[in-house]
Amino acid sequence: MEFQEVVRARRMVRSYDAQRPVAPELIERLLGLAVRAPSAGFSQGWEFLVLDTPERVGRYWEVTTDADTPPDRWLRGMQSAPVLILPFSDKSAYIERYAEPDKGWSDRDESRWPVPYWHIDTGMASLLVLLGAVDAGLSGCFFGVPVAAQDAVRQTFAVPSQLTPIGVISLGYPAPDRRSPSLRRGRRPVSEVAHYGSF
């Protein structure tokens, strides 16, 4: 598939064919794309937790949802994904990288960072997974880890303390899916969002 076609075809899919597993080599290929993302100072401060069996995926949903509340349509669809990938950012990788001699910020002062590039770069790596999924005939969705469940996720999956979860990527072969009603808002045209020279 041509790159422009991949970008145009990408959308957040919220329902998957639970009977159709994703081959391990395909997951590995998508992660191989993720590590090609740009990162400030080539810090590469990202880690990926791959949940690729029904048991592992089930553990994620057990610790992030309320067992006493029936799942709504969104949750039922998302729970059908055979693979979940949790991308984590590592701020310390950036702070330490920029204290090295070629960067020279030996004071490790976080205020030097105008924005948290560790999160941005991990987000870009996540987008490469989503685009690679489309190219491979898969579908995906990026969604957040509930704030109230983050400690449980850390404990359940032995997440190192310096890592911050930036979200979850669900992956699988698509099932019939209701398109998001938010799409009715329409996509903002380039002429509305691009400003040449000044605003």
Side-chain angles (χ1 to χ4, degrees):
M1 192 181 288
E2 292 292 325
F3 178 71
Q4 290 200 26
E5 292 176 50
V6 169
V7 172
R8 291 179 186 279
R10 189 218 54 78
R11 70 182 188 88
M12 298 301 187
V13 170
R14 298 166 178 85
S15 187
Y16 302 90
D17 183 347
Q19 305 308 311
R20 195 171 173 195
V22 178
E25 58 271 19
L26 188 46
I27 298 169
E28 196 70 17
R29 190 167 85 196
L30 296 177
L31 294 171
L33 295 174
V35 300
R36 302 290 300 185
S39 65
F42 211 40
S43 300
Q44 304 172 77
W46 45 55
E47 304 280 342
F48 303 92
L49 173 63
V50 180
L51 307 178
D52 57 351
T53 67
E55 295 74 26
R56 291 171 179 170
V57 170
R59 283 173 64 206
Y60 173 82
W61 293 116
E62 284 171 20
V63 300
T64 59
T65 59
D66 180 1
D68 296 327
T69 303
D72 60 13
R73 182 180 185 157
W74 180 90
L75 184 55
R76 285 193 307 273
M78 296 305 285
Q79 287 178 329
S80 66
V83 177
L84 299 177
I85 299 176
L86 282 69
F88 293 84
S89 66
D90 183 355
K91 176 172 64 175
S92 67
Y94 289 73
I95 301 298
E96 293 305 315
R97 169 68 185 102
Y98 274 76
E100 292 178 18
D102 64 319
K103 297 298 182 186
W105 294 354
S106 57
D107 57 8
R108 293 171 171 77
D109 185 356
E110 190 180 332
S111 69
R112 291 180 179 274
W113 294 88
V115 293
Y117 277 89
W118 37 93
H119 299 325
I120 293 167
D121 294 348
T122 305
M124 287 194 275
S126 299
L127 180 56
L128 289 179
V129 171
L130 291 168
L131 291 174
V134 173
D135 190 51
L138 296 169
S139 292
C141 185
F142 186 91
F143 60 98
V145 178
V147 173
Q150 290 194 6
D151 287 343
V153 167
R154 287 181 176 282
Q155 183 175 1
T156 301
F157 298 106
V159 178
S161 61
Q162 81 274 12
L163 300 182
T164 302
I166 67 153
V168 183
I169 302 166
S170 55
L171 288 174
Y173 292 92
D177 186 33
R178 181 176 67 97
R179 293 176 71 86
S180 170
S182 298
L183 294 175
R184 293 191 200 108
R185 302 182 67 209
R187 194 173 302 281
R188 295 176 69 191
V190 172
S191 60
E192 186 179 303
V193 299
H195 311 277
Y196 294 85
S198 69
F199 275 79

